Amino acid sequence: MQKAKILVTGGAGYIGSHASLVLLEAGYEVVVLDNLTNASQEALQRVEQIAGSSVTFIQGDIRDRACLDLLFSDHDIHAVIHFAGLKAVSESVTQPLSYYDTNVCGSLTLCRAMQAAGVCRLVFSSSATVYGPDAPVPYHESMPRGRTANPYGTSKSMVEQALEDLSQSDERWSVVLLRYFNPIGAHPSGLMGEDPQGVPNNLMPYIAQVAVGRREELTVFGNDYATADGTCVRDYLHVMDLSEGHAKALGRLSTPGLHIYNLGAGKGVSVLQMVEAFARISERPVPYHFAPRRDGDLAAFWADSQKAEQELGWQARRGLDEMIADTWRWQCRNPQGYSTDIHTKSQRTSKC
């Protein structure tokens, strides 16, 4: 029996590479399209090493219609999991046009190419930010999309609306919107993990780079929020749990229409709680200093993921300590991420 072939856009990135691994292990064939803007082909080599099977990699951009048309012509794609896009909230505030161009225009170009190829099954990597700053917690799928707080969230909301309209206009389409919260962690082998270019925008890789000696100290943006310790509260889930959620979502594509699911752990953890937990598990100090709030950040939110459990058979199974331990294992074994340029300082301070 021939394996179903899945196109994973952005499949060389942090979440995309872990999802590609899960798909290979589940018996799918995987074609990855990635422009390597914030990703590494080395990640896919490690996916292949762990899975013991190969990935077809195509370096290209979702905004390049000619590239997409050729891809769909060359490969019998069963469904698409769409990760490709820009994802830093604070960066989106200063570079909104880049976010609308990549996230919105890129997604529309992808959908046009899919429709032309007769491939109308799509899992879209969305975000909890679409609920907006006024939504009560926990977030539930029955809530409407809200007034988004930053261009990143707005770009995700715009794509969601376009996909909703598309699925209503053409009964061939089956679309799953996965609204996820804050993925962290790494593959338990220590071979794969989050490797942001430049200064990390996300909390966990920043903490890990401080603990391993790659950076001097953590910057905590805001300590005057209306939370227990004044720092932001987020719903963290393991990247492997999240990746397994995408594999589960593929099964939902057999039913036409639009399907929406939250993927989260269902509880909040503050920045300072995360710092304290990381220091405890790594047995390393994590020095930090406070800085003003970042534009676009919300005080606190977390998920209600009961719908995903009931309809997809998915739930977050890995706890915070496991997320941190896997992150630390990855960072210790790869102090400079996927780069082979290991500096003396990192070699001296990365004993784990």
Side-chain angles (χ1 to χ4, degrees), residues 126-332:
S126 192
S127 167
T129 57
V130 301
Y131 290 105
D134 303 319
V137 292
Y139 293 168
H140 189 275
E141 295 91 342
S142 62
M143 297 176 180
R145 283 184 290 269
R147 175 183 59 84
T148 49
N150 49 71
Y152 165 73
T154 304
S155 72
K156 291 293 187 181
S157 182
M158 292 171 70
V159 175
E160 278 202 7
Q161 184 64 62
L163 293 175
E164 180 177 339
D165 294 341
L166 178 59
S167 65
Q168 290 176 351
S169 71
D170 187 341
E171 63 182 11
R172 293 178 303 166
W173 280 87
S174 179
V175 177
V176 175
L177 307 180
L178 295 182
R179 295 172 176 170
Y180 31 95
F181 286 67
N182 290 71
I184 60 174
H187 189 269
S189 66
L191 289 172
M192 297 169 56
E194 188 169 10
D195 183 26
Q197 297 180 10
V199 179
N201 286 290
N202 296 330
L203 176 64
M204 180 57 80
Y206 206 141
I207 291 176
Q209 289 183 14
V210 171
V212 84
R214 186 169 165 182
R215 300 191 182 278
E216 293 297 327
E217 61 179 356
L218 171 71
T219 301
V220 178
F221 296 100
N223 63 340
D224 57 350
Y225 287 97
T227 59
D229 60 22
T231 62
C232 290
V233 171
R234 295 291 183 266
D235 183 339
Y236 296 96
L237 74 159
H238 200 295
V239 67
M240 293 303 297
D241 281 330
L242 179 62
S243 298
E244 290 163 6
H246 288 77
K248 294 278 190 181
L250 287 175
R252 199 73 173 97
L253 294 178
S254 60
T255 304
L258 185 76
H259 314 283
I260 305 174
Y261 300 99
N262 288 336
L263 297 185
K267 57 184 177 181
V269 179
S270 76
V271 173
L272 292 185
Q273 287 175 327
M274 184 67 77
V275 170
E276 292 166 2
F278 199 101
R280 170 175 55 82
I281 291 170
S282 68
E283 299 183 341
R284 288 291 187 86
V286 182
Y288 62 86
H289 70 275
F290 293 114
R293 298 182 183 188
R294 292 186 301 191
D295 290 339
D297 277 347
L298 303 183
F301 58 85
W302 57 91
D304 179 333
S305 297
Q306 292 184 66
K307 185 181 178 186
E309 182 176 358
Q310 294 166 358
E311 297 187 10
L312 300 181
W314 176 91
Q315 60 181 333
R317 299 184 294 109
R318 299 162 176 88
L320 184 63
D321 283 9
E322 187 172 353
M323 300 181 213
I324 293 173
D326 288 342
T327 299
W328 185 230
R329 186 180 303 109
W330 150 257
Q331 192 67 75
C332 286

Side-chain angles (χ1 to χ4, degrees), residues 23-224:
L23 293 174
L24 287 175
E25 292 179 333
Y28 293 99
E29 289 188 29
V30 176
V31 176
V32 166
L33 175 71
D34 202 301
N35 65 7
L36 301 180
T37 294
N38 191 26
S40 170
Q41 197 170 347
E42 173 65 23
L44 295 180
Q45 294 174 3
R46 299 193 187 187
V47 166
E48 294 175 333
Q49 177 182 345
I50 296 168
S53 54
S54 62
V55 172
T56 300
F57 173 65
I58 300 168
Q59 186 169 350
D61 195 293
I62 55 170
R63 295 167 294 182
D64 185 343
R65 177 63 188 271
C67 173
L68 292 172
D69 287 342
L70 182 61
L71 187 158
F72 284 110
S73 174
D74 289 346
H75 298 277
D76 183 17
I77 300 298
H78 173 73
V80 177
I81 300 181
H82 178 30
F83 293 105
L86 302 176
K87 63 178 184 176
V89 168
S90 58
E91 182 183 65
S92 77
V93 175
T94 59
Q95 301 179 37
L97 293 182
S98 294
Y99 276 70
Y100 294 129
D101 182 36
T102 301
N103 296 0
V104 180
C105 295
S107 297
L108 297 180
T109 301
L110 173 65
C111 287
R112 291 191 184 98
M114 290 176 63
Q115 193 165 45
V119 179
C120 300
R121 292 173 291 270
L122 175 66
V123 177
F124 175 57
S125 168
S126 192
S127 167
T129 57
V130 301
Y131 290 105
D134 303 319
V137 292
Y139 293 168
H140 189 275
E141 295 91 342
S142 62
M143 297 176 180
R145 283 184 290 269
R147 175 183 59 84
T148 49
N150 49 71
Y152 165 73
T154 304
S155 72
K156 291 293 187 181
S157 182
M158 292 171 70
V159 175
E160 278 202 7
Q161 184 64 62
L163 293 175
E164 180 177 339
D165 294 341
L166 178 59
S167 65
Q168 290 176 351
S169 71
D170 187 341
E171 63 182 11
R172 293 178 303 166
W173 280 87
S174 179
V175 177
V176 175
L177 307 180
L178 295 182
R179 295 172 176 170
Y180 31 95
F181 286 67
N182 290 71
I184 60 174
H187 189 269
S189 66
L191 289 172
M192 297 169 56
E194 188 169 10
D195 183 26
Q197 297 180 10
V199 179
N201 286 290
N202 296 330
L203 176 64
M204 180 57 80
Y206 206 141
I207 291 176
Q209 289 183 14
V210 171
V212 84
R214 186 169 165 182
R215 300 191 182 278
E216 293 297 327
E217 61 179 356
L218 171 71
T219 301
V220 178
F221 296 100
N223 63 340
D224 57 350

